[in-house]
Amino acid sequence: MPTLAGDVAAVLADEKVHFQMQEVAVVVAVDRYIAADGVAAVEVEYEELPVVIDPRKALEKDAPVLREDLAGKEEGAHGKCYHHNHIFSWEAGDTSAVDAVFERAEVTGKEALLYPRVHPCPLETCGAVASFDPVRGELTTYLTSQAPHIVRTVVSMLSGIPESKIRIVSPDIGGGFGNKVGVYPGYVCAIVASIVLGRPVKWVEDRIENLSSTAFARDYHMTGELAATREGKIIGLRAHVIADHGAFDACADPTKYPAGLFHICSGSYDIPVAHCMVEGVYTNKAPGGVAYRSSFRVTEAVYLIERMIDALAQKLKMDKAEIRRINFIRKDQFPYTSAFGFEYDSGDYHTALDKVLTAVDYATLRAEQAAKRADPDSPTLMGIGLASFTEVLGAGPSKMCDILGVGMFDSCEIRVHPTGSAIARMGTISQGQAHETTYAQIIATELGISSDVIQIEEGETSTAPYGLGTYGSRSTTVAGAAVAMAVRKIHAKAKKLAAHLLEVGENDLDWEIDRFKVRGDTERFKTMTEIAWAAYNKPPAGMEPGLKAVHYFDPPNFTFPFGVYLCVVDIDKGTGETKIRRFYALDDCGTRINPMIIDGQIHGGLTEGFAVAMGQLLSFDEQGNIQGNSLMDYFVPTAVETPHWETDFTVTPSPHHPLGAKGVAESPHVGSVPAISAAIVDTFAHLGVTNMDMPHTAYRVWKTLKLHGLTH
Ligand code: MCN
């Protein structure tokens, strides 16, 4: 089957199995027990082949050919391939300008950083129920998808069934976190089996299958370099990445960006020249590379720049808050064009940083840290981590972003019924982000209809207008904008109706909460409920009856939310155990539609970031066996381990979003991983440590303590 990244992936292994737990056979039965017996009866003769787990080794001259089906092809979906296991090389920025800057720089710093392979691990695994009606030639599939419309398009292209006869329904899917964007063999097998058998077929995977064979995230092997003046002003950035894509290139990225939006890696800083190169590589691991609470590869990019700027501060013996202050893009520089060509819409980084440092009393924390370092009898050491990140959210302007050629706009259709209640149908699909509340809130606020009588419907391709789904924190910035624009069309028509009913000109009307009032005459008004009735009952001559609007919103730009996170850790010198004493998260997502939902999303994202920094890891032994693919081993934090989160905000609206809103849901994950990691590295910064590999388990931290003779 085709992948979203322009490669092909096996539905079932054809002669060669590329990774452990790859699907080799499908058994269809009338109940689960018979199916299990059928699976047990399948005999596969495996012949052992050489295995490549390390993407660097995959590029060695004599590395085994992993994808024989591509043998002899010198060109992939993203240009020339220089090696049989090489997928693409993608670059952005100006390499010769960067070389020149590095040659004359007073100071340079270089860090090798690994963002290890992790898994989004949603609460429920993936599944589908496919039902093909041979009489009508119609296919209905209930499917755990974060992007049901594009799945319908692909199913139609592959099966030849007209798109109008395919209905993909994505109800509550038990969480997605990027894991449910792509198409998996299980979905395909369920659909094919139903077409062949003419009856409904269900597939639901178990936890081990989900962790082992569905889309992973990260696995970026990064080298970053900064050039700076002795005073700490960064003058150039260079980044090189080996991206492990597993056995098939199935990353879910916009077509033009095989490395997602990784080129946001200049972060919140005014860096005049920059260059990055990302090389995609095949290995014997499961495919994926999805946006696990990330706008494509923004998480990796933020980790890289935040760790690099800390290392530079250490080299220059500068405080990490100070180096940020010197390099931040200033408020008066927005809209700001980065060296990679992004146009940052708005920001105020200095205010955010100052607010956080004041809230935690940064100077006192630093003094306490120094005292602990000086006291050999102190049972703990202390670290302070800082991350001041900028994201690029809201994919996206279709001039830049498409999936399989379909532009990444989004849509909303609103119908106001005669009695004044309303339904909005959307191209997005909530997996727990509470769209039902926030979209209804936008409509309620703009139309003056109570949110109690506004119904929001998502994830149903047969009724909703086409949309690209929910991931990459794009719902508020793209679909939320579509809601606002659709609602404004209704508002404009309602005004015409009110003018007609009140027998005045439109310019004589004022809007107040839920009604149009005749200016200067408080007694004469029409409420939205009255206007809705009139729309179906007595519209003026020449006006279409009804009160309905559809809007497809193609954003003019991305939005650039930002935040400053500060983390304080205490590390036990006896055990290496890390305790997060304080975590202060300030986010700026522009206009805040629903503060309570934002807070919920931030708590969830911080908890996931904590999980990644402290324990989540998909590792493999040399034979390619996945280690720890059950929840006994894979770290999903509960309330017991999770620290207390303190949240704060500033508001810098987006100038181009109709509500001024920017996305928020993934910021807490993106920002917390470097903040926590930085705090742990900071504990050892006075000893020259600039980087420690995640996850920061107690054993790994203890080994660092031991190395420096600090264990108690
Ligand atoms: N919001 C708001 N004001 C803003 C921005 C957002 O009130 N200025 C609200 C929104 O209206 C929405 C929520 O906050 O109700 C999140 O909005 P947004 O940032 O647009 O993110 P999305 O809705 O597009 O959600 C995607 C994001 C991603 S990328 C992952 S992965 C993720 C996440 O959301 N997966 C989740 N949060 C999740 N939460 C749950 N419970 N389950 C998942 O699978």
Side-chain angles (χ1 to χ4, degrees), residues 45-81:
E45 283 178 21
Y46 290 108
E47 177 196 338
E48 208 173 313
L49 294 174
V51 172
V52 185
I53 290 307
D54 180 341
R56 288 197 173 84
K57 292 200 173 137
L59 288 179
E60 284 173 5
K61 207 157 165 263
D62 53 357
V65 176
L66 301 183
R67 290 285 303 278
E68 268 120 19
D69 58 318
L70 301 179
K73 279 200 179 164
E74 284 174 7
E75 186 133 358
H78 303 287
K80 289 249 173 286
C81 305

mmCIF file of all heavy atoms in Angstrom, residues 45-81:
data_model
loop_
_atom_site.group_PDB
_atom_site.id
_atom_site.type_symbol
_atom_site.label_atom_id
_atom_site.label_comp_id
_atom_site.label_asym_id
_atom_site.label_seq_id
_atom_site.Cartn_x
_atom_site.Cartn_y
_atom_site.Cartn_z
ATOM 1 N N GLU A 45 8.025 -20.290 8.061
ATOM 2 C CA GLU A 45 9.432 -20.703 8.118
ATOM 3 C C GLU A 45 10.296 -19.465 7.972
ATOM 4 O O GLU A 45 10.346 -18.856 6.912
ATOM 5 C CB GLU A 45 9.723 -21.696 6.992
ATOM 6 C CG GLU A 45 9.188 -23.078 7.311
ATOM 7 C CD GLU A 45 9.435 -24.051 6.179
ATOM 8 O OE1 GLU A 45 10.335 -23.784 5.355
ATOM 9 O OE2 GLU A 45 8.707 -25.044 6.117
ATOM 10 N N TYR A 46 10.932 -19.099 9.054
ATOM 11 C CA TYR A 46 11.783 -17.906 9.029
ATOM 12 C C TYR A 46 13.235 -18.307 8.807
ATOM 13 O O TYR A 46 13.740 -19.213 9.460
ATOM 14 C CB TYR A 46 11.705 -17.161 10.364
ATOM 15 C CG TYR A 46 10.377 -16.488 10.619
ATOM 16 C CD1 TYR A 46 9.488 -16.997 11.566
ATOM 17 C CD2 TYR A 46 10.027 -15.326 9.940
ATOM 18 C CE1 TYR A 46 8.282 -16.378 11.815
ATOM 19 C CE2 TYR A 46 8.813 -14.696 10.188
ATOM 20 C CZ TYR A 46 7.944 -15.225 11.130
ATOM 21 O OH TYR A 46 6.763 -14.600 11.372
ATOM 22 N N GLU A 47 13.857 -17.565 7.925
ATOM 23 C CA GLU A 47 15.291 -17.744 7.721
ATOM 24 C C GLU A 47 15.935 -16.478 8.283
ATOM 25 O O GLU A 47 15.509 -15.362 7.978
ATOM 26 C CB GLU A 47 15.546 -17.852 6.217
ATOM 27 C CG GLU A 47 16.990 -17.959 5.818
ATOM 28 C CD GLU A 47 17.160 -17.660 4.319
ATOM 29 O OE1 GLU A 47 16.165 -17.792 3.562
ATOM 30 O OE2 GLU A 47 18.254 -17.261 3.942
ATOM 31 N N GLU A 48 16.971 -16.659 9.109
ATOM 32 C CA GLU A 48 17.553 -15.486 9.763
ATOM 33 C C GLU A 48 18.364 -14.642 8.782
ATOM 34 O O GLU A 48 19.163 -15.172 8.020
ATOM 35 C CB GLU A 48 18.447 -15.935 10.919
ATOM 36 C CG GLU A 48 18.520 -14.884 11.998
ATOM 37 C CD GLU A 48 19.269 -15.372 13.220
ATOM 38 O OE1 GLU A 48 18.983 -16.504 13.683
ATOM 39 O OE2 GLU A 48 20.136 -14.635 13.690
ATOM 40 N N LEU A 49 18.144 -13.347 8.817
ATOM 41 C CA LEU A 49 18.860 -12.421 7.929
ATOM 42 C C LEU A 49 19.614 -11.408 8.790
ATOM 43 O O LEU A 49 19.271 -11.203 9.954
ATOM 44 C CB LEU A 49 17.853 -11.676 7.037
ATOM 45 C CG LEU A 49 17.077 -12.510 6.025
ATOM 46 C CD1 LEU A 49 16.019 -11.655 5.340
ATOM 47 C CD2 LEU A 49 18.021 -13.106 4.985
ATOM 48 N N PRO A 50 20.621 -10.767 8.207
ATOM 49 C CA PRO A 50 21.304 -9.729 8.992
ATOM 50 C C PRO A 50 20.333 -8.602 9.355
ATOM 51 O O PRO A 50 19.401 -8.304 8.598
ATOM 52 C CB PRO A 50 22.408 -9.229 8.057
ATOM 53 C CG PRO A 50 22.162 -9.841 6.739
ATOM 54 C CD PRO A 50 21.171 -10.935 6.872
ATOM 55 N N VAL A 51 20.580 -8.021 10.500
ATOM 56 C CA VAL A 51 19.652 -7.007 11.016
ATOM 57 C C VAL A 51 20.386 -5.674 11.167
ATOM 58 O O VAL A 51 21.541 -5.655 11.587
ATOM 59 C CB VAL A 51 19.135 -7.469 12.407
ATOM 60 C CG1 VAL A 51 18.334 -6.371 13.078
ATOM 61 C CG2 VAL A 51 18.317 -8.725 12.265
ATOM 62 N N VAL A 52 19.711 -4.587 10.836
ATOM 63 C CA VAL A 52 20.306 -3.257 11.047
ATOM 64 C C VAL A 52 19.369 -2.433 11.930
ATOM 65 O O VAL A 52 18.228 -2.165 11.564
ATOM 66 C CB VAL A 52 20.521 -2.512 9.706
ATOM 67 C CG1 VAL A 52 21.256 -1.199 9.958
ATOM 68 C CG2 VAL A 52 21.300 -3.358 8.735
ATOM 69 N N ILE A 53 19.879 -2.077 13.080
ATOM 70 C CA ILE A 53 19.083 -1.331 14.052
ATOM 71 C C ILE A 53 19.565 0.115 14.140
ATOM 72 O O ILE A 53 18.786 1.032 14.331
ATOM 73 C CB ILE A 53 19.196 -2.025 15.434
ATOM 74 C CG1 ILE A 53 18.462 -3.351 15.392
ATOM 75 C CG2 ILE A 53 18.694 -1.165 16.563
ATOM 76 C CD1 ILE A 53 17.037 -3.242 14.898
ATOM 77 N N ASP A 54 20.878 0.287 13.980
ATOM 78 C CA ASP A 54 21.465 1.622 14.103
ATOM 79 C C ASP A 54 21.444 2.315 12.734
ATOM 80 O O ASP A 54 22.049 1.821 11.776
ATOM 81 C CB ASP A 54 22.907 1.446 14.610
ATOM 82 C CG ASP A 54 23.627 2.771 14.779
ATOM 83 O OD1 ASP A 54 23.181 3.775 14.194
ATOM 84 O OD2 ASP A 54 24.657 2.795 15.489
ATOM 85 N N PRO A 55 20.775 3.464 12.607
ATOM 86 C CA PRO A 55 20.666 4.103 11.281
ATOM 87 C C PRO A 55 22.008 4.517 10.698
ATOM 88 O O PRO A 55 22.163 4.616 9.490
ATOM 89 C CB PRO A 55 19.771 5.315 11.548
ATOM 90 C CG PRO A 55 19.864 5.567 13.004
ATOM 91 C CD PRO A 55 20.110 4.249 13.650
ATOM 92 N N ARG A 56 22.988 4.771 11.565
ATOM 93 C CA ARG A 56 24.315 5.130 11.027
ATOM 94 C C ARG A 56 24.931 3.926 10.341
ATOM 95 O O ARG A 56 25.518 4.025 9.263
ATOM 96 C CB ARG A 56 25.223 5.604 12.153
ATOM 97 C CG ARG A 56 24.818 6.958 12.663
ATOM 98 C CD ARG A 56 25.929 7.596 13.475
ATOM 99 N NE ARG A 56 25.558 8.947 13.802
ATOM 100 C CZ ARG A 56 24.800 9.284 14.842
ATOM 101 N NH1 ARG A 56 24.341 8.354 15.653
ATOM 102 N NH2 ARG A 56 24.489 10.538 15.064
ATOM 103 N N LYS A 57 24.757 2.738 10.984
ATOM 104 C CA LYS A 57 25.299 1.519 10.374
ATOM 105 C C LYS A 57 24.557 1.196 9.079
ATOM 106 O O LYS A 57 25.125 0.620 8.150
ATOM 107 C CB LYS A 57 25.206 0.357 11.355
ATOM 108 C CG LYS A 57 26.142 0.534 12.537
ATOM 109 C CD LYS A 57 26.421 -0.770 13.239
ATOM 110 C CE LYS A 57 27.497 -0.557 14.294
ATOM 111 N NZ LYS A 57 27.209 -1.229 15.539
ATOM 112 N N ALA A 58 23.279 1.569 9.021
ATOM 113 C CA ALA A 58 22.497 1.291 7.811
ATOM 114 C C ALA A 58 23.094 1.988 6.599
ATOM 115 O O ALA A 58 22.915 1.553 5.466
ATOM 116 C CB ALA A 58 21.054 1.747 8.011
ATOM 117 N N LEU A 59 23.827 3.087 6.848
ATOM 118 C CA LEU A 59 24.403 3.839 5.726
ATOM 119 C C LEU A 59 25.833 3.421 5.400
ATOM 120 O O LEU A 59 26.458 3.990 4.497
ATOM 121 C CB LEU A 59 24.364 5.336 6.043
ATOM 122 C CG LEU A 59 22.976 5.982 6.013
ATOM 123 C CD1 LEU A 59 23.064 7.458 6.356
ATOM 124 C CD2 LEU A 59 22.280 5.806 4.667
ATOM 125 N N GLU A 60 26.355 2.434 6.146
ATOM 126 C CA GLU A 60 27.713 1.974 5.821
ATOM 127 C C GLU A 60 27.693 1.281 4.467
ATOM 128 O O GLU A 60 26.671 0.731 4.051
ATOM 129 C CB GLU A 60 28.231 1.040 6.921
ATOM 130 C CG GLU A 60 28.657 1.837 8.150
ATOM 131 C CD GLU A 60 29.017 0.953 9.347
ATOM 132 O OE1 GLU A 60 29.026 -0.293 9.199
ATOM 133 O OE2 GLU A 60 29.270 1.525 10.419
ATOM 134 N N LYS A 61 28.869 1.276 3.839
ATOM 135 C CA LYS A 61 28.963 0.800 2.449
ATOM 136 C C LYS A 61 28.444 -0.629 2.299
ATOM 137 O O LYS A 61 27.678 -0.960 1.382
ATOM 138 C CB LYS A 61 30.428 0.868 2.014
ATOM 139 C CG LYS A 61 30.595 1.036 0.541
ATOM 140 C CD LYS A 61 31.951 1.646 0.206
ATOM 141 C CE LYS A 61 32.218 1.465 -1.268
ATOM 142 N NZ LYS A 61 33.043 0.315 -1.565
ATOM 143 N N ASP A 62 28.872 -1.497 3.234
ATOM 144 C CA ASP A 62 28.511 -2.912 3.086
ATOM 145 C C ASP A 62 27.282 -3.301 3.927
ATOM 146 O O ASP A 62 27.065 -4.471 4.217
ATOM 147 C CB ASP A 62 29.710 -3.799 3.448
ATOM 148 C CG ASP A 62 30.253 -3.434 4.822
ATOM 149 O OD1 ASP A 62 29.723 -2.469 5.423
ATOM 150 O OD2 ASP A 62 31.189 -4.111 5.298
ATOM 151 N N ALA A 63 26.489 -2.321 4.321
ATOM 152 C CA ALA A 63 25.267 -2.635 5.086
ATOM 153 C C ALA A 63 24.321 -3.453 4.204
ATOM 154 O O ALA A 63 24.266 -3.239 2.988
ATOM 155 C CB ALA A 63 24.592 -1.348 5.522
ATOM 156 N N PRO A 64 23.593 -4.405 4.790
ATOM 157 C CA PRO A 64 22.688 -5.206 3.967
ATOM 158 C C PRO A 64 21.607 -4.349 3.295
ATOM 159 O O PRO A 64 21.215 -3.310 3.832
ATOM 160 C CB PRO A 64 22.050 -6.174 4.974
ATOM 161 C CG PRO A 64 22.413 -5.695 6.320
ATOM 162 C CD PRO A 64 23.572 -4.774 6.200
ATOM 163 N N VAL A 65 21.153 -4.816 2.160
ATOM 164 C CA VAL A 65 20.059 -4.121 1.466
ATOM 165 C C VAL A 65 18.773 -4.458 2.220
ATOM 166 O O VAL A 65 18.388 -5.625 2.318
ATOM 167 C CB VAL A 65 19.943 -4.609 0.003
ATOM 168 C CG1 VAL A 65 18.748 -3.957 -0.690
ATOM 169 C CG2 VAL A 65 21.232 -4.323 -0.753
ATOM 170 N N LEU A 66 18.118 -3.460 2.762
ATOM 171 C CA LEU A 66 16.913 -3.755 3.543
ATOM 172 C C LEU A 66 15.673 -3.830 2.669
ATOM 173 O O LEU A 66 14.800 -4.652 2.881
ATOM 174 C CB LEU A 66 16.729 -2.708 4.648
ATOM 175 C CG LEU A 66 17.890 -2.616 5.642
ATOM 176 C CD1 LEU A 66 17.579 -1.605 6.730
ATOM 177 C CD2 LEU A 66 18.185 -3.970 6.268
ATOM 178 N N ARG A 67 15.608 -2.973 1.658
ATOM 179 C CA ARG A 67 14.403 -2.949 0.820
ATOM 180 C C ARG A 67 14.734 -3.427 -0.594
ATOM 181 O O ARG A 67 15.033 -2.623 -1.473
ATOM 182 C CB ARG A 67 13.848 -1.518 0.805
ATOM 183 C CG ARG A 67 13.239 -1.088 2.127
ATOM 184 C CD ARG A 67 11.890 -1.730 2.349
ATOM 185 N NE ARG A 67 10.982 -1.414 1.267
ATOM 186 C CZ ARG A 67 10.284 -0.283 1.179
ATOM 187 N NH1 ARG A 67 10.379 0.625 2.123
ATOM 188 N NH2 ARG A 67 9.485 -0.063 0.147
ATOM 189 N N GLU A 68 14.651 -4.776 -0.773
ATOM 190 C CA GLU A 68 14.954 -5.316 -2.107
ATOM 191 C C GLU A 68 13.968 -4.816 -3.165
ATOM 192 O O GLU A 68 14.314 -4.690 -4.332
ATOM 193 C CB GLU A 68 14.942 -6.847 -2.094
ATOM 194 C CG GLU A 68 16.311 -7.424 -1.828
ATOM 195 C CD GLU A 68 16.319 -8.265 -0.584
ATOM 196 O OE1 GLU A 68 15.237 -8.677 -0.166
ATOM 197 O OE2 GLU A 68 17.393 -8.491 -0.007
ATOM 198 N N ASP A 69 12.744 -4.497 -2.732
ATOM 199 C CA ASP A 69 11.762 -4.014 -3.715
ATOM 200 C C ASP A 69 12.180 -2.679 -4.334
ATOM 201 O O ASP A 69 11.664 -2.281 -5.368
ATOM 202 C CB ASP A 69 10.371 -3.898 -3.069
ATOM 203 C CG ASP A 69 10.354 -2.957 -1.864
ATOM 204 O OD1 ASP A 69 11.307 -3.011 -1.049
ATOM 205 O OD2 ASP A 69 9.404 -2.178 -1.729
ATOM 206 N N LEU A 70 13.117 -1.977 -3.680
ATOM 207 C CA LEU A 70 13.554 -0.688 -4.225
ATOM 208 C C LEU A 70 14.905 -0.787 -4.931
ATOM 209 O O LEU A 70 15.452 0.234 -5.374
ATOM 210 C CB LEU A 70 13.666 0.350 -3.097
ATOM 211 C CG LEU A 70 12.389 0.640 -2.294
ATOM 212 C CD1 LEU A 70 12.678 1.668 -1.204
ATOM 213 C CD2 LEU A 70 11.269 1.146 -3.201
ATOM 214 N N ALA A 71 15.461 -2.025 -5.003
ATOM 215 C CA ALA A 71 16.806 -2.198 -5.560
ATOM 216 C C ALA A 71 16.899 -1.579 -6.954
ATOM 217 O O ALA A 71 15.989 -1.716 -7.776
ATOM 218 C CB ALA A 71 17.158 -3.681 -5.616
ATOM 219 N N GLY A 72 17.997 -0.866 -7.174
ATOM 220 C CA GLY A 72 18.216 -0.256 -8.495
ATOM 221 C C GLY A 72 17.587 1.123 -8.628
ATOM 222 O O GLY A 72 17.913 1.875 -9.536
ATOM 223 N N LYS A 73 16.695 1.483 -7.713
ATOM 224 C CA LYS A 73 16.068 2.817 -7.807
ATOM 225 C C LYS A 73 17.022 3.853 -7.217
ATOM 226 O O LYS A 73 17.454 3.717 -6.070
ATOM 227 C CB LYS A 73 14.764 2.842 -7.003
ATOM 228 C CG LYS A 73 13.601 2.255 -7.742
ATOM 229 C CD LYS A 73 12.307 2.743 -7.115
ATOM 230 C CE LYS A 73 11.125 2.174 -7.852
ATOM 231 N NZ LYS A 73 9.897 2.288 -7.096
ATOM 232 N N GLU A 74 17.319 4.862 -7.986
ATOM 233 C CA GLU A 74 18.248 5.876 -7.473
ATOM 234 C C GLU A 74 17.522 7.131 -7.034
ATOM 235 O O GLU A 74 18.118 8.082 -6.558
ATOM 236 C CB GLU A 74 19.282 6.215 -8.551
ATOM 237 C CG GLU A 74 20.305 5.096 -8.654
ATOM 238 C CD GLU A 74 21.280 5.291 -9.788
ATOM 239 O OE1 GLU A 74 21.263 6.355 -10.418
ATOM 240 O OE2 GLU A 74 22.041 4.348 -10.028
ATOM 241 N N GLU A 75 16.227 7.116 -7.183
ATOM 242 C CA GLU A 75 15.454 8.308 -6.847
ATOM 243 C C GLU A 75 14.214 7.895 -6.044
ATOM 244 O O GLU A 75 13.499 6.967 -6.441
ATOM 245 C CB GLU A 75 15.052 9.005 -8.151
ATOM 246 C CG GLU A 75 14.386 10.303 -7.896
ATOM 247 C CD GLU A 75 14.928 11.431 -8.777
ATOM 248 O OE1 GLU A 75 15.857 11.192 -9.552
ATOM 249 O OE2 GLU A 75 14.385 12.536 -8.643
ATOM 250 N N GLY A 76 13.986 8.576 -4.931
ATOM 251 C CA GLY A 76 12.791 8.309 -4.133
ATOM 252 C C GLY A 76 11.807 9.461 -4.264
ATOM 253 O O GLY A 76 11.959 10.329 -5.126
ATOM 254 N N ALA A 77 10.799 9.479 -3.380
ATOM 255 C CA ALA A 77 9.771 10.524 -3.452
ATOM 256 C C ALA A 77 10.340 11.910 -3.175
ATOM 257 O O ALA A 77 9.729 12.917 -3.522
ATOM 258 C CB ALA A 77 8.668 10.209 -2.456
ATOM 259 N N HIS A 78 11.516 11.959 -2.530
ATOM 260 C CA HIS A 78 12.078 13.271 -2.182
ATOM 261 C C HIS A 78 13.480 13.452 -2.759
ATOM 262 O O HIS A 78 14.366 13.957 -2.096
ATOM 263 C CB HIS A 78 12.089 13.438 -0.664
ATOM 264 C CG HIS A 78 10.732 13.290 -0.065
ATOM 265 N ND1 HIS A 78 9.756 14.250 -0.192
ATOM 266 C CD2 HIS A 78 10.171 12.278 0.629
ATOM 267 C CE1 HIS A 78 8.662 13.836 0.404
ATOM 268 N NE2 HIS A 78 8.876 12.651 0.903
ATOM 269 N N GLY A 79 13.683 12.978 -3.950
ATOM 270 C CA GLY A 79 14.959 13.225 -4.633
ATOM 271 C C GLY A 79 15.883 12.020 -4.656
ATOM 272 O O GLY A 79 15.469 10.884 -4.389
ATOM 273 N N LYS A 80 17.137 12.310 -4.991
ATOM 274 C CA LYS A 80 18.147 11.268 -5.220
ATOM 275 C C LYS A 80 18.477 10.472 -3.963
ATOM 276 O O LYS A 80 18.468 11.001 -2.862
ATOM 277 C CB LYS A 80 19.449 11.935 -5.698
ATOM 278 C CG LYS A 80 19.364 12.499 -7.091
ATOM 279 C CD LYS A 80 20.249 11.679 -8.042
ATOM 280 C CE LYS A 80 20.084 12.071 -9.488
ATOM 281 N NZ LYS A 80 18.832 11.617 -10.123
ATOM 282 N N CYS A 81 18.771 9.187 -4.138
ATOM 283 C CA CYS A 81 19.217 8.346 -3.026
ATOM 284 C C CYS A 81 20.665 7.940 -3.306
ATOM 285 O O CYS A 81 20.967 7.466 -4.390
ATOM 286 C CB CYS A 81 18.366 7.089 -2.913
ATOM 287 S SG CYS A 81 16.620 7.452 -2.787
#
